[in-house]
Amino acid sequence: MTNIIDQVSLGAIVQVRDRLLEQQARGRKVLRLESGDPSFDIPTNVREAMEKALRDGLTHYTASTGIPALREAIHRKVTKENGLDVPDPDSVVVTNGAMHGLYILFQALLDPADEVILPDPMWTEISENIRLAGGVPVPVQLRPEAGYQYDPHKIEASITAQTRAIFVNTPHNPTGAVASRETLEAIAAIAEKHNLLLVSDEAYEHVIFDGEKHTSLGSLPAARGRTVSVFSMSKTYAMSGLRLGYLVLHDAKILDRLKKLVRCTINGVNSVTQYGAAAALNGPQEATQVMAREYQMRRDVLFDALEESPYVKAFKPRGAFYMWARIQPDWPGYAGKSDDWSITNYLIDQSAIGSAPGSAFGPAGAGHIRFAFSCSTAQVKEAAGLLPGVLRAAKG
């Protein structure tokens, strides 16, 4: 018997991580540039709020879509900071991380064979969650010569009678590109013209560099009322292991479906984490700014190292904490292969540096490699010091 779940992979990044952890367990020092887990501790006020919740016995069932204090804090934040026109806190659904939010969103949104247009390359779990909901991902390639910006003309050309939604992620994983306001306005106009929904993944909204400005797609006039905005506490507040995200939307029918799916999947997020998240949103934001500055410094160190390295050409990201690089034609290969997995395996074997093969992120990712600089500054600097020499030593 076959099942749709059989079409889902276990994930290339997980395979790389497991290899590194296995080597680490044998005593080898490894450099964890394969996955995007922030190295920072959670802000002090978040920890203190969670400790207080534990002391006060706030460890029982909560309202399934989120405690009122958190949904009110989210409503204030998205209204004032993101410019979203959200009627009230009932338009907020708290989820067990943004990934859970995306899972239930596509379940609520899609009928069998409905299509969702999405960028290529893209974080693997997006297309897999679309497939799990019975939908069809329709990739539209982001090109390096355009700075990996979305191409509204290509997006519109990909629309069919089966298209249900356009998925947008900015800052973008894996390239680190930040979509311009003009590009987002064009995408919103296309969605309005064709009566499509927009899904705006803004997990990296605060991980942004060089004075760039993040624009929330749902704040644009043509996108209002047709956008589901997806947010995460993992990247901004380093709460990745605490698993909390949230969805913000207008559509009453989809909202009703989401509430049912929350009840039938998790019946509410960890209560203590919710009190910590409320403190994060209501409290001082200096810690997030410190993190962003440190990420930018790490980016610069890693980019400079790759500029000195043969066989790869890096794109300098304006947001998120990933370095995306094209593998050059003169790459001699490794162990009889010359694809993106070969350079990932070479770096693990020769220097214990983790990375993610670009093919993990879709067809357009083939021939690329992604480094995450979310690990500690010490690890990023050590990897940067090794990469030029290790790559020069490649013999094929």
Side-chain angles (χ1 to χ4, degrees):
M1 185 178 76
T2 61
N3 189 292
I4 188 68
I5 300 172
D6 296 331
Q7 299 178 28
V8 175
S9 72
L10 290 175
I13 298 172
V14 172
Q15 295 175 50
V16 173
R17 180 196 66 196
D18 288 350
R19 280 191 64 195
L20 290 168
L21 291 177
E22 179 184 350
Q23 294 188 16
Q24 188 176 53
R26 296 201 306 264
R28 189 183 190 195
K29 183 179 181 180
V30 299
L31 302 172
R32 301 290 307 281
L33 278 69
E34 84 285 357
S35 60
D37 186 5
S39 62
F40 299 95
D41 293 332
I42 59 174
T44 302
N45 66 310
V46 175
R47 187 189 71 243
E48 290 173 347
M50 293 175 67
E51 291 170 347
K52 184 177 187 301
L54 284 169
R55 288 195 303 271
D56 292 348
L58 300 175
T59 56
H60 301 280
Y61 289 134
T62 70
S64 62
T65 53
I67 61 172
L70 176 56
R71 283 187 289 137
E72 289 165 6
I74 291 169
H75 179 253
R76 284 192 298 272
K77 179 260 184 186
V78 299
T79 301
K80 294 179 180 178
E81 181 179 332
N82 299 97
L84 302 185
D85 181 17
V86 184
D88 53 53
D90 195 50
S91 300
V92 173
V93 177
V94 178
T95 61
N96 192 46
M99 191 188 301
H100 174 243
L102 289 162
Y103 173 79
I104 64 172
L105 173 58
F106 290 126
Q107 295 288 331
L109 181 62
L110 301 179
D111 288 327
D114 278 353
E115 296 176 353
V116 180
I117 295 171
L118 72 164
D120 181 15
M122 188 61 230
W123 183 50
T124 314
E125 281 75 357
I126 304 302
S127 59
E128 292 186 334
N129 274 314
I130 292 169
R131 291 191 192 96
L132 285 171
V136 179
V138 178
V140 173
Q141 186 174 0
L142 307 181
R143 303 197 65 84
E145 57 268 26
Y148 297 103
Q149 287 286 320
Y150 293 90
D151 185 333
H153 299 293
K154 288 185 177 180
I155 289 174
E156 187 163 26
S158 300
I159 294 172
T160 72
Q162 292 297 116
T163 305
R164 177 74 167 119
I166 301 170
F167 175 90
V168 174
N169 170 225
T170 182
H172 179 243
N173 175 13
T175 68
V178 176
S180 69
R181 183 181 182 90
E182 293 72 23
T183 296
L184 294 176
E185 287 174 336
I187 294 171
I190 291 167
E192 183 179 47
K193 175 182 174 182
H194 295 274
N195 193 29
L196 300 175
L197 285 171
L198 293 162
V199 178
S200 180
D201 180 349
E202 303 180 36
Y204 298 92
E205 60 176 328
H206 294 112
V207 185
I208 202 157
F209 314 128
D210 304 324
E212 278 283 352
K213 300 295 183 184
H214 170 69
T215 299
S216 287
L217 179 58
S219 70
L220 303 177
R224 287 177 183 155
R226 66 176 63 255
T227 302
V228 182
S229 301
V230 185
F231 298 93
S232 172
M233 303 296 287
S234 295
K235 314 305 182 184
T236 299
Y237 299 101
M239 294 174 65
S240 51
L242 296 172
R243 311 310 304 138
L244 195 143
Y246 53 96
L247 307 177
V248 181
L249 64 156
H250 283 257
D251 191 296
K253 185 63 176 178
I254 296 175
L255 181 61
D256 181 65
R257 292 174 180 173
L258 289 171
K259 290 178 178 180
K260 294 172 182 176
L261 284 162
V262 167
R263 180 177 66 83
C264 291
T265 53
I266 60 170
N267 200 27
V269 171
N270 178 304
S271 61
V272 173
T273 296
Q274 292 192 62
Y275 286 100
L281 294 170
N282 289 329
Q285 301 301 305
E286 286 82 359
T288 67
Q289 296 160 16
V290 169
M291 292 182 210
R293 287 195 294 270
E294 188 77 3
Y295 287 135
Q296 181 167 329
M297 184 272 288
R298 295 175 187 176
R299 177 205 64 173
D300 292 343
V301 168
L302 184 58
F303 181 78
D304 289 346
L306 292 174
E307 285 285 275
E308 296 176 16
S309 302
Y311 310 131
V312 291
K313 178 62 178 176
F315 173 74
K316 194 169 190 177
R318 306 299 293 271
F321 36 57
Y322 305 108
M323 189 76 65
W324 186 246
R326 277 187 290 173
I327 302 167
Q328 299 301 288
D330 58 347
W331 161 242
Y334 179 63
K337 296 183 178 181
S338 57
D339 59 3
D340 44 33
W341 267 106
S342 71
I343 197 166
T344 289
N345 288 329
Y346 173 78
L347 291 173
I348 294 173
D349 291 346
Q350 300 301 313
S351 58
I353 296 174
S355 65
S359 54
F361 301 94
H368 294 74
I369 188 170
R370 190 199 74 173
F371 298 96
F373 48 91
S374 52
C375 58
S376 71
T377 298
Q379 287 198 46
V380 172
K381 287 183 174 180
E382 184 169 353
L386 292 171
L387 278 166
V390 170
L391 287 170
R392 287 191 198 103
K395 297 282 193 274

